[in-house]
Amino acid sequence: MRTAICSGSFDPITLGHLDVIRRAAACFDKVWVCVSPNAEKKNQLFTPEQKLRLVQAAVADLPNVEAELFPGLLADYAVDHGANVIVRGVRNATDFDVEYQMAIINRGIHPQLETMLLPASAEYQHFSSSMVREMIRYHQPLEKYLPASIIPLVRDMTERKGE
């Protein structure tokens, strides 16, 4: 079985993230979405458990995709799940440089791990989770940025939080 990992902090999962996950799901028998808390990212809007719930709702229609929280090293998560490929989306040269460095680090930890970089689809190149968080905070329409299945959840979670 060919297994891949898609990872991120997903604060929240966007249509761009979902596009990469769907494309990976078409290439692999099994895709694990690793929702990783990222202590270096400030101004997080959702808790790790909320992020996981949003990701699970977004990928519910993909039978070969499952999501889990994992606070450890991505390379270890991949090996624990029998994956030898990490799939990452890249929007620009900056993303490529960061992901290239991480690929080298991950192969240093587990030499059998490959990283596959998928260029962002043109319609999603311009947005990020931080931009979407601003749209959420200012109560802007979210249909262009988030999977339709999670918009009610996002609204509910942020209204409870007082955003």
Side-chain angles (χ1 to χ4, degrees), residues 107-128:
R107 280 195 82 193
I109 296 168
H110 292 293
Q112 74 277 19
L113 270 180
E114 293 292 346
T115 299
M116 186 169 84
L117 302 179
L118 290 180
S121 295
E123 62 268 34
Y124 306 124
Q125 281 182 331
H126 67 285
F127 55 85
S128 64

Side-chain angles (χ1 to χ4, degrees), residues 6 15 54 62-63 68 72 88 92 97 111 115 122 125 128 137:
C6 290
L15 287 171
L54 294 171
L62 300 172
E68 293 182 326
R88 301 289 293 169
N92 52 42
D97 289 344
T115 299
Q125 281 182 331
S128 64
R137 284 188 178 106

Side-chain angles (χ1 to χ4, degrees), residues 2-162:
R2 297 173 309 150
T3 303
I5 306 296
C6 290
S7 69
S9 57
F10 302 110
D11 190 39
I13 186 170
T14 67
L15 287 171
H17 293 129
L18 186 57
D19 180 60
V20 169
I21 294 166
R22 282 186 187 284
R23 290 162 59 199
C27 296
F28 295 92
D29 301 314
K30 180 72 174 182
V31 174
W32 289 95
V33 179
C34 178
V35 180
S36 303
N38 188 335
E40 298 198 7
K41 289 191 175 182
K42 306 298 180 214
N43 302 319
Q44 297 215 16
L45 185 57
F46 299 100
T47 68
E49 293 76 18
Q50 288 174 320
K51 293 178 202 179
L52 177 61
R53 186 170 167 215
L54 294 171
V55 170
Q56 288 171 329
V59 301
D61 67 325
L62 300 172
N64 63 331
V65 176
E66 288 187 56
E68 293 182 326
L69 284 176
F70 188 75
L73 289 175
L74 181 61
D76 291 339
Y77 182 87
V79 169
D80 290 349
H81 285 74
N84 63 346
V85 177
I86 296 170
V87 177
R88 301 289 293 169
V90 291
R91 295 169 293 180
N92 52 42
T94 301
D95 283 356
F96 178 86
D97 289 344
V98 168
E99 296 303 337
Y100 181 80
Q101 290 172 18
M102 287 307 306
I104 292 169
I105 291 167
N106 286 330
R107 280 195 82 193
I109 296 168
H110 292 293
Q112 74 277 19
L113 270 180
E114 293 292 346
T115 299
M116 186 169 84
L117 302 179
L118 290 180
S121 295
E123 62 268 34
Y124 306 124
Q125 281 182 331
H126 67 285
F127 55 85
S128 64
S129 290
S130 55
M131 182 270 303
V132 173
R133 285 193 303 275
E134 287 299 300
M135 297 296 179
I136 292 167
R137 284 188 178 106
Y138 292 104
H139 307 286
Q140 295 300 304
L142 301 174
E143 291 75 13
K144 292 186 211 172
Y145 311 110
L146 298 179
S149 60
I150 74 165
I151 293 172
L153 291 170
V154 166
R155 292 290 187 211
D156 184 54
M157 288 174 184
T158 55
E159 286 171 13
R160 287 183 188 184
K161 190 175 180 177

